Short mmCIF file of all heavy atoms in Angstrom, two decimals:
data_model
loop_
_atom_site.label_atom_id
_atom_site.label_comp_id
_atom_site.label_asym_id
_atom_site.label_seq_id
_atom_site.Cartn_x
_atom_site.Cartn_y
_atom_site.Cartn_z
N GLY W 61 -18.72 -6.58 0.73
CA GLY W 61 -17.56 -5.94 1.34
C GLY W 61 -16.24 -6.55 0.92
O GLY W 61 -15.20 -6.29 1.54
N LYS W 62 -16.24 -7.32 -0.16
CA LYS W 62 -15.01 -7.93 -0.66
C LYS W 62 -14.40 -7.03 -1.73
O LYS W 62 -15.10 -6.53 -2.61
CB LYS W 62 -15.31 -9.31 -1.25
CG LYS W 62 -14.10 -10.04 -1.76
CD LYS W 62 -14.48 -11.42 -2.29
CE LYS W 62 -13.27 -12.16 -2.81
NZ LYS W 62 -13.66 -13.48 -3.33
N ILE W 63 -13.09 -6.84 -1.66
CA ILE W 63 -12.38 -6.06 -2.66
C ILE W 63 -12.14 -6.96 -3.86
O ILE W 63 -11.36 -7.91 -3.79
CB ILE W 63 -11.05 -5.52 -2.10
CG1 ILE W 63 -11.31 -4.63 -0.88
CG2 ILE W 63 -10.27 -4.76 -3.18
CD1 ILE W 63 -10.07 -4.29 -0.07
N VAL W 64 -12.85 -6.70 -4.94
CA VAL W 64 -12.77 -7.58 -6.10
C VAL W 64 -11.79 -7.08 -7.16
O VAL W 64 -11.38 -7.84 -8.04
CB VAL W 64 -14.16 -7.84 -6.73
CG1 VAL W 64 -15.04 -8.61 -5.76
CG2 VAL W 64 -14.83 -6.55 -7.14
N ASP W 65 -11.40 -5.82 -7.09
CA ASP W 65 -10.42 -5.28 -8.02
C ASP W 65 -9.87 -3.98 -7.44
O ASP W 65 -10.47 -3.38 -6.54
CB ASP W 65 -11.05 -5.03 -9.40
CG ASP W 65 -10.03 -4.96 -10.52
OD1 ASP W 65 -8.82 -5.18 -10.26
OD2 ASP W 65 -10.43 -4.68 -11.67
N GLY W 66 -8.75 -3.56 -7.97
CA GLY W 66 -8.16 -2.32 -7.50
C GLY W 66 -7.01 -1.90 -8.40
O GLY W 66 -6.45 -2.70 -9.14
N SER W 67 -6.71 -0.61 -8.33
CA SER W 67 -5.61 -0.07 -9.12
C SER W 67 -5.17 1.25 -8.50
O SER W 67 -5.76 1.73 -7.52
CB SER W 67 -6.03 0.14 -10.57
OG SER W 67 -7.08 1.10 -10.64
N PHE W 68 -4.15 1.85 -9.11
CA PHE W 68 -3.69 3.17 -8.68
C PHE W 68 -3.18 3.93 -9.89
O PHE W 68 -2.80 3.35 -10.91
CB PHE W 68 -2.61 3.07 -7.61
CG PHE W 68 -1.27 2.61 -8.11
CD1 PHE W 68 -0.25 3.53 -8.36
CD2 PHE W 68 -1.01 1.28 -8.34
CE1 PHE W 68 0.98 3.12 -8.83
CE2 PHE W 68 0.22 0.84 -8.79
CZ PHE W 68 1.23 1.76 -9.05
N THR W 69 -3.21 5.24 -9.77
CA THR W 69 -2.60 6.13 -10.75
C THR W 69 -1.80 7.16 -9.97
O THR W 69 -1.91 7.25 -8.75
CB THR W 69 -3.65 6.85 -11.62
OG1 THR W 69 -4.51 7.63 -10.77
CG2 THR W 69 -4.48 5.87 -12.44
N GLY W 70 -1.00 7.92 -10.67
CA GLY W 70 -0.26 8.98 -10.03
C GLY W 70 1.23 8.82 -10.20
O GLY W 70 1.70 7.96 -10.95
N SER W 71 1.93 9.67 -9.49
CA SER W 71 3.39 9.66 -9.61
C SER W 71 4.03 9.76 -8.24
O SER W 71 3.41 10.20 -7.28
CB SER W 71 3.83 10.84 -10.48
OG SER W 71 3.42 12.06 -9.87
N GLY W 72 5.26 9.35 -8.20
CA GLY W 72 6.01 9.40 -6.97
C GLY W 72 7.28 8.60 -7.11
O GLY W 72 7.60 8.08 -8.18
N CYS W 73 7.98 8.49 -6.02
CA CYS W 73 9.25 7.77 -6.03
C CYS W 73 9.00 6.26 -6.18
O CYS W 73 7.88 5.78 -6.06
CB CYS W 73 10.03 8.06 -4.75
SG CYS W 73 9.28 7.36 -3.28
N ALA W 74 10.08 5.54 -6.40
CA ALA W 74 10.00 4.09 -6.58
C ALA W 74 9.38 3.41 -5.38
O ALA W 74 8.61 2.45 -5.53
CB ALA W 74 11.40 3.52 -6.85
N VAL W 75 9.68 3.89 -4.18
CA VAL W 75 9.15 3.25 -2.97
C VAL W 75 7.63 3.40 -2.89
O VAL W 75 6.92 2.43 -2.63
CB VAL W 75 9.84 3.81 -1.70
CG1 VAL W 75 9.16 3.30 -0.44
CG2 VAL W 75 11.32 3.47 -1.70
N SER W 76 7.12 4.61 -3.14
CA SER W 76 5.66 4.79 -3.04
C SER W 76 4.93 4.00 -4.11
O SER W 76 3.90 3.38 -3.84
CB SER W 76 5.29 6.28 -3.12
OG SER W 76 5.47 6.80 -4.42
N GLN W 77 5.47 3.98 -5.32
CA GLN W 77 4.83 3.27 -6.42
C GLN W 77 4.85 1.75 -6.19
O GLN W 77 3.85 1.08 -6.37
CB GLN W 77 5.51 3.61 -7.74
CG GLN W 77 5.47 5.09 -8.10
CD GLN W 77 4.09 5.57 -8.48
OE1 GLN W 77 3.60 5.25 -9.56
NE2 GLN W 77 3.45 6.31 -7.61
N ALA W 78 5.99 1.24 -5.78
CA ALA W 78 6.10 -0.20 -5.53
C ALA W 78 5.25 -0.63 -4.34
O ALA W 78 4.59 -1.67 -4.38
CB ALA W 78 7.57 -0.59 -5.30
N SER W 79 5.24 0.18 -3.29
CA SER W 79 4.50 -0.18 -2.09
C SER W 79 3.00 -0.28 -2.37
O SER W 79 2.34 -1.23 -1.94
CB SER W 79 4.78 0.84 -0.98
OG SER W 79 4.09 0.48 0.19
N VAL W 80 2.43 0.69 -3.08
CA VAL W 80 1.00 0.64 -3.36
C VAL W 80 0.67 -0.52 -4.30
O VAL W 80 -0.37 -1.17 -4.16
CB VAL W 80 0.47 1.99 -3.90
CG1 VAL W 80 0.96 2.29 -5.30
CG2 VAL W 80 -1.05 2.04 -3.85
N ASP W 81 1.57 -0.85 -5.21
CA ASP W 81 1.35 -1.99 -6.10
C ASP W 81 1.34 -3.30 -5.30
O ASP W 81 0.47 -4.16 -5.49
CB ASP W 81 2.41 -2.02 -7.20
CG ASP W 81 2.03 -2.95 -8.34
OD1 ASP W 81 0.94 -2.77 -8.93
OD2 ASP W 81 2.82 -3.86 -8.65
N MET W 82 2.31 -3.44 -4.38
CA MET W 82 2.35 -4.63 -3.53
C MET W 82 1.12 -4.71 -2.64
O MET W 82 0.57 -5.79 -2.41
CB MET W 82 3.63 -4.65 -2.69
CG MET W 82 4.87 -4.94 -3.50
SD MET W 82 6.33 -5.09 -2.45
CE MET W 82 7.10 -3.50 -2.70
N MET W 83 0.68 -3.55 -2.13
CA MET W 83 -0.51 -3.51 -1.29
C MET W 83 -1.71 -4.06 -2.06
O MET W 83 -2.46 -4.90 -1.54
CB MET W 83 -0.79 -2.08 -0.83
CG MET W 83 -2.07 -1.93 -0.03
SD MET W 83 -2.64 -0.22 0.07
CE MET W 83 -3.34 0.02 -1.56
N LEU W 84 -1.88 -3.62 -3.29
CA LEU W 84 -3.00 -4.09 -4.09
C LEU W 84 -2.90 -5.58 -4.38
O LEU W 84 -3.91 -6.29 -4.36
CB LEU W 84 -3.14 -3.27 -5.37
CG LEU W 84 -3.65 -1.85 -5.12
CD1 LEU W 84 -3.37 -0.95 -6.32
CD2 LEU W 84 -5.13 -1.85 -4.75
N ASP W 85 -1.69 -6.08 -4.62
CA ASP W 85 -1.51 -7.53 -4.76
C ASP W 85 -2.08 -8.25 -3.55
O ASP W 85 -2.71 -9.30 -3.68
CB ASP W 85 -0.02 -7.90 -4.87
CG ASP W 85 0.55 -7.79 -6.27
OD1 ASP W 85 -0.22 -7.61 -7.24
OD2 ASP W 85 1.79 -7.90 -6.39
N ASN W 86 -1.84 -7.69 -2.38
CA ASN W 86 -2.26 -8.34 -1.13
C ASN W 86 -3.75 -8.25 -0.86
O ASN W 86 -4.33 -9.19 -0.33
CB ASN W 86 -1.52 -7.73 0.07
CG ASN W 86 -0.08 -8.16 0.15
OD1 ASN W 86 0.44 -8.79 -0.75
ND2 ASN W 86 0.56 -7.81 1.24
N VAL W 87 -4.38 -7.12 -1.17
CA VAL W 87 -5.75 -6.91 -0.68
C VAL W 87 -6.84 -7.29 -1.67
O VAL W 87 -7.99 -7.50 -1.25
CB VAL W 87 -5.97 -5.46 -0.18
CG1 VAL W 87 -4.98 -5.12 0.93
CG2 VAL W 87 -5.92 -4.44 -1.30
N ILE W 88 -6.52 -7.38 -2.95
CA ILE W 88 -7.56 -7.79 -3.90
C ILE W 88 -7.95 -9.23 -3.58
O ILE W 88 -7.11 -10.11 -3.47
CB ILE W 88 -7.09 -7.63 -5.36
CG1 ILE W 88 -6.90 -6.14 -5.68
CG2 ILE W 88 -8.08 -8.28 -6.33
CD1 ILE W 88 -6.24 -5.86 -7.01
N GLY W 89 -9.24 -9.42 -3.39
CA GLY W 89 -9.76 -10.74 -3.01
C GLY W 89 -10.08 -10.85 -1.53
O GLY W 89 -10.68 -11.82 -1.10
N LEU W 90 -9.68 -9.84 -0.76
CA LEU W 90 -9.94 -9.86 0.69
C LEU W 90 -11.17 -9.04 1.04
O LEU W 90 -11.59 -8.16 0.29
CB LEU W 90 -8.74 -9.27 1.46
CG LEU W 90 -7.39 -9.95 1.32
CD1 LEU W 90 -6.36 -9.23 2.18
CD2 LEU W 90 -7.48 -11.42 1.70
N SER W 91 -11.73 -9.31 2.21
CA SER W 91 -12.79 -8.46 2.74
C SER W 91 -12.16 -7.16 3.22
O SER W 91 -10.94 -7.07 3.41
CB SER W 91 -13.48 -9.16 3.92
OG SER W 91 -12.59 -9.24 5.03
N LYS W 92 -12.99 -6.15 3.44
CA LYS W 92 -12.49 -4.89 3.97
C LYS W 92 -11.74 -5.11 5.28
O LYS W 92 -10.67 -4.54 5.50
CB LYS W 92 -13.63 -3.90 4.22
CG LYS W 92 -14.25 -3.32 2.98
CD LYS W 92 -15.34 -2.33 3.39
CE LYS W 92 -16.02 -1.71 2.22
NZ LYS W 92 -17.02 -0.70 2.64
N GLU W 93 -12.29 -5.94 6.14
CA GLU W 93 -11.67 -6.20 7.45
C GLU W 93 -10.30 -6.86 7.29
O GLU W 93 -9.36 -6.51 7.98
CB GLU W 93 -12.58 -7.07 8.32
CG GLU W 93 -13.89 -6.41 8.71
CD GLU W 93 -14.95 -6.39 7.59
OE1 GLU W 93 -14.84 -7.18 6.62
OE2 GLU W 93 -15.86 -5.55 7.68
N GLU W 94 -10.21 -7.82 6.38
CA GLU W 94 -8.93 -8.48 6.13
C GLU W 94 -7.90 -7.52 5.55
O GLU W 94 -6.72 -7.56 5.88
CB GLU W 94 -9.12 -9.68 5.19
CG GLU W 94 -9.91 -10.82 5.82
CD GLU W 94 -10.36 -11.85 4.78
OE1 GLU W 94 -10.67 -11.48 3.62
OE2 GLU W 94 -10.40 -13.04 5.15
N ALA W 95 -8.35 -6.63 4.66
CA ALA W 95 -7.45 -5.63 4.07
C ALA W 95 -6.95 -4.66 5.14
O ALA W 95 -5.78 -4.29 5.15
CB ALA W 95 -8.17 -4.88 2.95
N LEU W 96 -7.83 -4.27 6.04
CA LEU W 96 -7.42 -3.38 7.14
C LEU W 96 -6.44 -4.08 8.06
O LEU W 96 -5.51 -3.45 8.59
CB LEU W 96 -8.64 -2.88 7.91
CG LEU W 96 -9.49 -1.85 7.16
CD1 LEU W 96 -10.81 -1.61 7.88
CD2 LEU W 96 -8.73 -0.54 6.97
N LYS W 97 -6.60 -5.38 8.25
CA LYS W 97 -5.64 -6.14 9.05
C LYS W 97 -4.27 -6.16 8.37
O LYS W 97 -3.23 -6.01 9.03
CB LYS W 97 -6.15 -7.58 9.28
CG LYS W 97 -5.23 -8.43 10.12
CD LYS W 97 -5.10 -7.92 11.53
CE LYS W 97 -4.21 -8.83 12.35
NZ LYS W 97 -3.88 -8.27 13.64
N GLN W 98 -4.26 -6.31 7.05
CA GLN W 98 -3.00 -6.25 6.30
C GLN W 98 -2.32 -4.89 6.51
O GLN W 98 -1.11 -4.82 6.73
CB GLN W 98 -3.25 -6.46 4.80
CG GLN W 98 -3.54 -7.87 4.41
CD GLN W 98 -2.28 -8.66 4.18
OE1 GLN W 98 -1.41 -8.25 3.41
NE2 GLN W 98 -2.17 -9.79 4.84
N ALA W 99 -3.12 -3.81 6.46
CA ALA W 99 -2.57 -2.47 6.67
C ALA W 99 -2.01 -2.33 8.09
O ALA W 99 -0.94 -1.74 8.28
CB ALA W 99 -3.64 -1.41 6.41
N GLU W 100 -2.71 -2.88 9.05
CA GLU W 100 -2.25 -2.84 10.44
C GLU W 100 -0.90 -3.56 10.59
O GLU W 100 0.02 -3.07 11.25
CB GLU W 100 -3.30 -3.48 11.35
CG GLU W 100 -2.95 -3.50 12.81
CD GLU W 100 -4.00 -4.25 13.64
OE1 GLU W 100 -5.20 -4.19 13.30
OE2 GLU W 100 -3.59 -4.90 14.62
N ILE W 101 -0.79 -4.72 9.96
CA ILE W 101 0.47 -5.47 10.01
C ILE W 101 1.58 -4.68 9.33
O ILE W 101 2.70 -4.58 9.84
CB ILE W 101 0.30 -6.86 9.37
CG1 ILE W 101 -0.64 -7.73 10.20
CG2 ILE W 101 1.66 -7.55 9.20
CD1 ILE W 101 -1.09 -9.02 9.50
N PHE W 102 1.26 -4.09 8.16
CA PHE W 102 2.27 -3.32 7.44
C PHE W 102 2.78 -2.16 8.29
O PHE W 102 3.99 -1.93 8.41
CB PHE W 102 1.72 -2.80 6.11
CG PHE W 102 2.76 -2.12 5.26
CD1 PHE W 102 3.59 -2.87 4.45
CD2 PHE W 102 2.90 -0.75 5.27
CE1 PHE W 102 4.56 -2.26 3.66
CE2 PHE W 102 3.87 -0.12 4.50
CZ PHE W 102 4.71 -0.88 3.69
N MET W 103 1.86 -1.42 8.91
CA MET W 103 2.26 -0.29 9.76
C MET W 103 3.08 -0.78 10.95
O MET W 103 4.08 -0.15 11.32
CB MET W 103 1.04 0.50 10.25
CG MET W 103 0.25 1.15 9.16
SD MET W 103 1.21 2.23 8.11
CE MET W 103 0.02 2.56 6.85
N GLY W 104 2.68 -1.91 11.51
CA GLY W 104 3.44 -2.49 12.62
C GLY W 104 4.83 -2.90 12.17
O GLY W 104 5.82 -2.72 12.91
N MET W 105 4.94 -3.43 10.96
CA MET W 105 6.25 -3.81 10.44
C MET W 105 7.15 -2.57 10.31
O MET W 105 8.30 -2.60 10.72
CB MET W 105 6.09 -4.48 9.07
CG MET W 105 7.42 -4.85 8.41
SD MET W 105 7.22 -5.48 6.72
CE MET W 105 6.81 -3.97 5.82
N ILE W 106 6.60 -1.51 9.77
CA ILE W 106 7.37 -0.28 9.59
C ILE W 106 7.81 0.28 10.95
O ILE W 106 8.92 0.78 11.10
CB ILE W 106 6.57 0.76 8.80
CG1 ILE W 106 6.27 0.26 7.38
CG2 ILE W 106 7.28 2.12 8.77
CD1 ILE W 106 7.47 0.02 6.51
N LYS W 107 6.93 0.18 11.94
CA LYS W 107 7.25 0.71 13.28
C LYS W 107 8.09 -0.25 14.11
O LYS W 107 8.53 0.09 15.20
CB LYS W 107 5.96 1.04 14.02
CG LYS W 107 5.19 2.18 13.40
CD LYS W 107 3.88 2.40 14.11
CE LYS W 107 3.08 3.51 13.45
NZ LYS W 107 1.76 3.67 14.06
N GLY W 108 8.28 -1.48 13.62
CA GLY W 108 9.07 -2.47 14.34
C GLY W 108 8.32 -3.21 15.43
O GLY W 108 8.93 -3.82 16.31
N THR W 109 6.98 -3.20 15.35
CA THR W 109 6.18 -3.85 16.39
C THR W 109 5.49 -5.14 15.91
O THR W 109 4.90 -5.84 16.72
CB THR W 109 5.11 -2.88 16.93
OG1 THR W 109 4.24 -2.48 15.86
CG2 THR W 109 5.75 -1.66 17.57
N ALA W 110 5.55 -5.43 14.63
CA ALA W 110 4.89 -6.63 14.10
C ALA W 110 5.76 -7.86 14.32
O ALA W 110 6.98 -7.79 14.26
CB ALA W 110 4.59 -6.46 12.61
N SER W 111 5.11 -8.99 14.54
CA SER W 111 5.84 -10.24 14.70
C SER W 111 6.32 -10.75 13.34
O SER W 111 5.74 -10.41 12.30
CB SER W 111 4.95 -11.30 15.35
OG SER W 111 3.95 -11.73 14.44
#
Side-chain angles (χ1 to χ4, degrees):
K62 182 178 180 181
I63 300 168
V64 295
D65 201 4
S67 63
F68 73 100
T69 59
S71 60
C73 69
V75 172
S76 71
Q77 300 289 287
S79 182
V80 70
D81 195 57
M82 288 185 259
M83 176 197 76
L84 288 163
D85 276 350
N86 285 8
V87 302
I88 293 171
L90 299 181
S91 69
K92 288 182 180 183
E93 295 77 19
E94 292 167 326
L96 288 169
K97 181 65 178 170
Q98 285 275 307
E100 180 184 326
I101 293 168
F102 186 83
M103 297 304 171
M105 177 186 73
I106 296 297
K107 293 176 183 176
T109 60
S111 71

